[in-house]
Amino acid sequence: MRRRITLKQIAKELDVSISTVSKALRESKEISQDTRDKVQAFAKLYNYKPNNIAVSLKNKHTKNIGVIIPEIVHHFFTTVISGIEKVANSKGYNVIVCLSNESFDKEVINMETLANGSIDGFIMSISKETQKKKDFHHLREVVNQGMPLVMFDRVSDEIYCDKVIVDDARGAYQAVEHLIHTGCKRIALITTVDYVSVGKLRTLGYKNALLDNEMGVDEDLIIKIEDIENCDKEIEKLFDLDNFDGVFAVNELFALTAMKIAQERGYRIPEDISFIGFTDGILSKHASPTLTTLAQHGIEMGEIAADMLIEKIEEEEEDESFRTEIIRTSLIQRDSTRKI
Amino acid sequence: MRRRITLKQIAKELDVSISTVSKALRESKEISQDTRDKVQAFAKLYNYKPNNIAVSLKNKHTKNIGVIIPEIVHHFFTTVISGIEKVANSKGYNVIVCLSNESFDKEVINMETLANGSIDGFIMSISKETQKKKDFHHLREVVNQGMPLVMFDRVSDEIYCDKVIVDDARGAYQAVEHLIHTGCKRIALITTVDYVSVGKLRTLGYKNALLDNEMGVDEDLIIKIEDIENCDKEIEKLFDLDNFDGVFAVNELFALTAMKIAQERGYRIPEDISFIGFTDGILSKHASPTLTTLAQHGIEMGEIAADMLIEKIEEEEEDESFRTEIIRTSLIQRDSTRKI
DNA sequence: ATGAAAGCGCTAACAT
DNA sequence: ATGTTAGCGCTTTCAT
């Protein structure tokens, strides 16, 4: 078991100085071709690779980027990671993933441990709890230290940094309009509690679409779900109390659950009730009937976030201007809505 | 924008030496209570946090663990990461995730970049391409350098290291027996090509279950799918050519696709045909009918892998004995199989 | 063309 | 009780 070899050892073996070895390895023409060849051959033979940590300490950058997300077992976030990873790797960066599990404390701890020199910048989506508490001191701190930060999807207006967001309100608007255009007259909304920023925005889009089409908002047709585990109970209530011919749900799970309940109650989809979900994940594609959804383009979001971050990391002087990229959703028509 | 403060700066401000500051911060009783208080107050005020990189260089460990998986947009792997993350974080480690995207070259590159000092150990599941090529030099190299490695799920016998695997053959056996016990007479198998180790093992379990129940293996009932994207075409062929009353599929997607085709052809599930899938992901739970599956306990695998790795990382002298933990699958009965 | 030396931020053995 | 020094592995400036 050979341990990794260092410059020092090479220098000693070859009876030259450490700096000669270092330079030879980096093809410096300060060093004679002869020595360069000799050093390189030796390095290759012993499979020399520079120690990343030492290089990081010296160069003041780690070539790591930290990603903090609420949940990894959530298809949208994994697609974003996939996009981040792709561009990060192509530019020589590694991705350190930390999960907050929707907990404020965990989010704070994660940020603090990573911010102490382990990474060159952050990409993050804040936890529900953080959104509820509205306490962003940890983000502020990191930004104040000059560490680049890109927020995505679940962002906060209070923090000045680059952002990549989905056009939630517009997407919801688009979905509801599609229901209207395909003949729905009474459209229900299944959404989350208001402190979840994206839920709120999607609710807004839903209302606007109704208003713009002179349909009026009926609050009885809107249910806000807190406990995702037991969303079926809440949704059952909607079916008990009211009737409608279209459902817009802010995520796949709500949409699928609603479809299942509708089917159990004997409604035909989409003839009797049409369904659209936000977020195009695996569930939608394999549901029966397949679910019409709004694709959020997670991979693309990840790629853009990583590009923005790396740009900020690598720019010479720091630039105080921040961008917000808005990713348009696109409607994926499947079998849970009527054809136009 | 205040940059991070260092020991040196604290020392200068307080007019003491760097080592005094270092010691004071670590509550060394070599230092007078007075100085300790003063230093700590100052450090707190300026929010001093030790630089991880410097500590790593000094201490020869990074408190990072590298995880290399073929795909992140794959529910099983994300559950494993979730488990790894949980125990890693609880023991003060960060998780660096790299994706091979099922590519041998990418896997090699990922390992090499991480092995150069960025991490203290690896947890990995090898790519399909690596399994096909049977080239494990990169793993061997890492192990030879004394870097702890834990392989999970897709492992290789050629590498001596700790492993965590699913009892694939036994799980498949269990699934097929369940089909038999619930009355199936002719059971089809939808599997992957043989070089995917888990596919091969699950095929083995299938055959053994049939043999042990004196049912005989009919090769016409076995299809091996190479191209997952177009698995529906292959599965259609199975339905065209043969008839059967039970299907065991080595993953969720194959099972769901087969169920959908069966439904289109007018078969009732489970009355006419029963289905079981390997891997209990989100699809199974939300399919209609819900799919009976073998749960692989990804979270648990991740936790065990992380525990094994950290144990090896932290042990004093290195221990050449390696363990293989076998995780039993469990059958989750849902509506795609008949009740006993 | 080569090497000595300083320094990145920290720890720790060894003075004083 | 405090400070000096060396060193982790590397880069780079400044001699020689």
Side-chain angles (χ1 to χ4, degrees), chain A residues 17 19-20 23 30 32 35 58 60:
Chain A
S17 75
S19 44
T20 302
K23 286 170 187 163
E30 271 181 44
S32 72
T35 319
K58 182 78 215 180
K60 313 284 221 161

Side-chain angles (χ1 to χ4, degrees), chain B residues 19-128:
Chain B
S19 50
T20 301
V21 177
S22 174
K23 286 171 188 162
L25 253 18
R26 341 184 93 239
E27 279 292 342
S28 159
K29 50 217 147 314
E30 273 182 41
I31 306 296
S32 71
Q33 190 59 52
D34 215 42
T35 320
R36 268 189 272 169
D37 291 346
K38 201 174 56 179
V39 171
Q40 285 176 21
F42 191 92
K44 178 147 205 181
L45 181 62
Y46 285 90
N47 192 28
Y48 170 80
K49 297 276 165 53
N51 178 320
N52 290 332
I53 295 294
V55 175
S56 293
L57 182 59
K58 180 78 212 180
N59 298 346
K60 311 285 222 163
H61 61 239
T62 61
K63 288 278 183 176
N64 285 155
I65 76 187
V67 176
I68 300 183
I69 54 171
E71 277 274 13
I72 199 171
V73 194
H74 187 325
H75 191 254
F76 169 65
F77 288 123
T78 104
T79 56
V80 176
I81 292 194
S82 192
I84 292 173
E85 230 264 346
K86 187 175 145 207
V87 347
N89 277 207
S90 77
K91 303 196 175 183
Y93 287 77
N94 290 312
V95 175
I96 300 186
V97 175
C98 286
L99 312 178
S100 64
N101 288 319
E102 302 286 12
S103 144
F104 172 77
D105 291 337
K106 185 103 191 288
E107 187 176 289
V108 173
I109 292 173
N110 281 159
M111 288 202 81
E112 283 178 355
T113 57
L114 290 186
N116 298 162
S118 301
I119 58 166
D120 298 338
F122 275 112
I123 294 180
M124 74 179 298
S125 188
I126 56 187
S127 74
K128 277 188 192 151

Side-chain angles (χ1 to χ4, degrees), chain B residues 225-261:
Chain B
I225 293 176
E226 169 106 47
D227 174 18
I228 293 175
E229 291 300 303
N230 295 310
C231 67
D232 46 346
K233 301 210 180 63
E234 305 274 343
I235 298 174
E236 289 274 7
K237 270 189 250 165
L238 177 69
F239 277 86
D240 289 340
L241 289 174
D242 229 306
N243 70 324
F244 42 82
D245 56 5
V247 172
F248 169 53
V250 300
N251 61 43
E252 283 191 310
L253 188 59
F254 291 173
L256 248 71
T257 308
M259 283 216 295
K260 195 166 275 184
I261 293 171

Side-chain angles (χ1 to χ4, degrees), chain A residues 116-134:
Chain A
N116 299 162
S118 300
I119 58 166
D120 297 338
F122 275 112
I123 294 179
M124 75 178 299
S125 189
I126 57 188
S127 74
K128 279 190 192 149
E129 213 188 331
T130 307
Q131 290 196 121
K132 199 169 187 175
K133 287 183 86 145
K134 292 196 168 72

